[in-house]
Amino acid sequence: MKEFEPKIIGFCCNWCTYAGADLAGVSRLQMPPDFRMIRVMCSGTIDPLFVMEAFQKGADGIFIGGCHIGDCHYQTGNHRTKKRVAILKKILSYLGIDPRRVRLEWVSAAEGQKFAEVVTDFVAEIKRLGPNPLKRKFEA
Amino acid sequence: MIEKLKKLAKEYLVSGKVEVIFGLREKDNHLAPHIFTKVEELDSLVVSPQYPLFYTCRPSKKNIIRLIEEKYPDIKIGVIVKGCEERALIELAKRNQIEMKNIEILGVACSREEAVECKCPRPYPNHPLLGEKVEGVFEDKNIEGLLNKGWSERLAFWQSQLSKCIKCYGCRNACPLCFCQDCAMEQELWSKIGEIPPEIPMFHFIRFYHLADRCIECGECEKACPMDIPLLTISKQVRKDVKELFNYESGLDVKQESPLLTTLDEMPMKEGANE
């Protein structure tokens, strides 16, 4: 049997996490290749509907990366992200989708090492959780 | 109690405290919202937890109170409300959908039996003029069963429930707080048009999320649903979570701003809420 290769969508903020990912790449840090990144201008643009849509289309895990609280390029964009994601996780859990499939992390532009660690850890966790249950229903 | 209310409403109207009364009227055995302008008319006034007083009028997507205000900007409107309707008014005023300055609230508390029937957690307005504040209903049999189960069982439950959906948009149309000009549930982007049942759980998720900080637990969505989908189960639970996370309850105070619109400093989250 083929090993489960998850599809992970990463929404990364232009100013911190995307630059952090860039640094991780430039520093040639090893990361699993299951991560597909979408650059957004701020983590505050991420509507929970994006996350749900990604699950609906078959993503196994969603990573949301933003600046640390207080470092947001737009002052308070990430404050909203934090609150939204908290509610999103609650609704997902009631609907029967493991909230661990969504991860919110603050990664600054200087934290290439942290980015690599977070991605590696998240991919390992999603592999443990298995494929997205919504996708399984489609294929059956 | 209804006689007392009629007497009170008449007093309000005669004394000139309000110029019109907005409430439910019974005519030919049918109940409908009505603007009472004359004292004699008030004999047909009724209060019923089964019939909503406010709704968002389509296609203008404006609340009925807003339409009255727009047409008659200077009159004082007395509104006969139950607990849920007062919460709706407050939440609408908070979100600039109506103006409270010309509104006089006549609050009526519901009985315990009515609260049980509606699964209402707060069957009384902030300051009831009539009736006693009785205890509400907080438990929900669906969620208690689901919280003890695993992810796959919860998903299976909601898949079976939501697949009954015939996409009538009844839940949205009945909701007093669904007033967006461009409803995400109608957009091809999120859920395909012309498909029944809609994408599960995306279609219903839009409402659950958008109402997370607005839902006042009136239960109109669930009452309107022709397929008996237990929509209130999740909304109830999410409202509870919003209270736990942000110490915020919708519909209680016009001045209290929604946590989703403020920063963390103004409305701090509980530690570890992210985990």
Side-chain angles (χ1 to χ4, degrees):
Chain A
M1 204 184 109
K2 212 171 78 196
E3 203 205 339
F4 165 55
E5 282 295 338
K7 259 190 193 158
I8 291 168
I9 307 294
F11 292 102
C12 295
C13 119
N14 180 46
W15 305 101
C16 292
T17 312
Y18 197 84
D22 203 30
L23 180 64
V26 170
S27 320
R28 299 193 174 273
L29 300 172
Q30 287 297 309
M31 279 176 277
D34 309 300
F35 200 78
R36 287 143 175 90
M37 204 181 302
I38 298 173
R39 178 166 62 159
V40 291
M41 288 311 284
C42 176
S43 59
T45 44
I46 297 155
D47 191 322
L49 300 189
F50 294 176
V51 176
M52 196 68 221
E53 184 73 1
F55 278 130
Q56 198 93 61
K57 295 260 153 72
D60 298 300
I62 316 285
F63 172 87
I64 300 170
C67 310
H68 287 271
I69 294 287
D71 290 348
C72 180
H73 191 77
Y74 308 99
Q75 315 296 340
T76 55
N78 51 6
H79 290 227
R80 293 180 181 208
T81 318
K82 188 173 181 188
K83 292 177 176 184
R84 285 174 191 164
V85 170
I87 294 178
L88 168 71
K89 285 189 173 193
K90 293 282 185 189
I91 302 180
L92 286 180
S93 74
Y94 303 135
L95 287 171
I97 300 166
D98 196 325
R100 282 174 292 181
R101 290 184 186 277
V102 179
R103 184 178 287 193
L104 174 65
E105 289 281 351
W106 310 133
V107 181
S108 84
E111 293 174 326
Q113 184 67 39
K114 183 181 174 188
F115 181 83
E117 280 164 17
V118 162
V119 168
T120 313
D121 184 55
F122 189 46
V123 171
E125 181 158 45
I126 295 297
K127 279 191 177 166
R128 216 166 39 244
L129 294 174
N132 173 0
L134 294 174
K135 188 168 63 178
R136 200 163 52 217
K137 293 278 181 203
F138 277 130
E139 284 164 358
Chain B
M1 196 180 92
I2 187 71
E3 291 308 319
K4 267 191 193 165
L5 180 67
K6 280 177 191 171
K7 201 165 152 252
L8 196 72
K10 281 175 188 171
E11 275 169 24
Y12 267 64
L13 210 53
V14 170
S15 68
K17 206 169 175 183
V18 298
E19 279 149 88
V20 296
I21 298 252
F22 185 62
L24 282 176
R25 177 176 72 155
E26 189 175 356
K27 195 188 179 194
D28 307 332
N29 291 325
H30 289 290
L31 266 64
H34 184 67
I35 303 170
F36 297 91
T37 50
K38 297 190 193 78
V39 176
E40 310 85 71
E41 275 186 315
L42 280 166
D43 289 327
S44 55
L45 176 78
V46 283
V47 175
S48 163
Q50 292 304 319
Y51 292 83
L53 188 56
F54 308 127
Y55 46 91
T56 313
C57 299
R58 291 176 200 273
S60 69
K61 315 265 171 78
K62 285 176 183 169
N63 194 276
I64 187 149
I65 293 284
R66 174 67 167 257
L67 293 178
I68 298 173
E69 283 177 341
E70 279 182 2
K71 194 151 187 200
Y72 307 101
D74 299 320
I75 61 165
K76 273 252 174 223
I77 312 165
V79 187
I80 294 169
V81 292
K82 305 179 289 274
C84 51
E85 287 159 351
E86 191 199 54
R87 293 197 296 277
L89 270 187
I90 290 174
E91 201 57 24
L92 285 165
K94 193 189 288 177
R95 289 163 195 276
N96 297 327
Q97 296 300 308
I98 57 168
E99 276 183 57
M100 286 294 244
K101 69 176 190 330
N102 282 337
I103 291 177
E104 182 75 34
I105 291 176
L106 286 88
V108 185
C110 294
S111 68
R112 173 75 187 163
E113 292 75 50
E114 288 167 339
V116 170
E117 204 176 324
C118 285
K119 295 191 244 168
C120 181
R122 201 182 144 92
Y124 47 84
N126 284 342
H127 306 288
L129 290 175
L130 285 172
E132 291 293 311
K133 286 187 177 181
V134 293
E135 205 196 333
V137 182
F138 297 96
E139 56 282 340
D140 183 290
K141 62 179 192 325
N142 283 321
I143 202 74
E144 277 157 30
L146 282 177
L147 288 180
N148 296 327
K149 286 180 185 160
W151 308 116
S152 57
E153 281 153 308
R154 291 186 201 181
L155 189 66
F157 174 80
W158 286 109
Q159 231 133 16
S160 72
Q161 289 292 333
L162 299 180
S163 63
K164 295 191 289 190
C165 180
I166 54 168
K167 230 177 162 181
C168 66
Y169 290 91
C171 48
R172 184 204 60 180
N173 295 351
C175 181
L177 273 318
C178 273
F179 48 71
C180 295
Q181 287 294 328
D182 296 309
C183 180
M185 289 167 94
E186 285 174 6
Q187 288 167 9
E188 181 83 33
L189 178 65
W190 303 119
S191 182
K192 279 200 195 79
I193 292 168
E195 244 180 40
I196 293 175
E199 286 173 56
I200 298 165
M202 184 66 197
F203 185 74
H204 298 88
F205 174 84
I206 296 171
R207 273 196 86 250
F208 293 142
Y209 176 70
H210 281 175
L211 289 168
D213 62 334
R214 300 187 195 179
C215 181
I216 46 151
E217 274 182 70
C218 62
E220 290 302 335
C221 48
E222 198 174 297
K223 282 180 209 160
C225 184
M227 306 310 286
D228 295 325
I229 300 172
L231 295 163
L232 192 57
T233 300
I234 286 188
S235 292
K236 232 177 158 64
Q237 198 63 20
V238 173
R239 192 172 133 101
K240 203 186 272 178
D241 289 332
V242 170
K243 191 181 176 189
E244 272 171 29
L245 287 168
F246 312 114
N247 195 22
Y248 168 81
E249 263 189 285
S250 57
L252 300 189
D253 184 359
V254 181
K255 292 190 184 75
Q256 201 181 12
E257 220 182 332
S258 158
L260 291 180
L261 304 174
T262 57
T263 60
L264 285 166
D265 321 317
E266 287 148 32
M267 199 75 87
M269 265 167 81
K270 263 190 180 173
E271 283 303 312
N274 191 27
E275 307 325 316

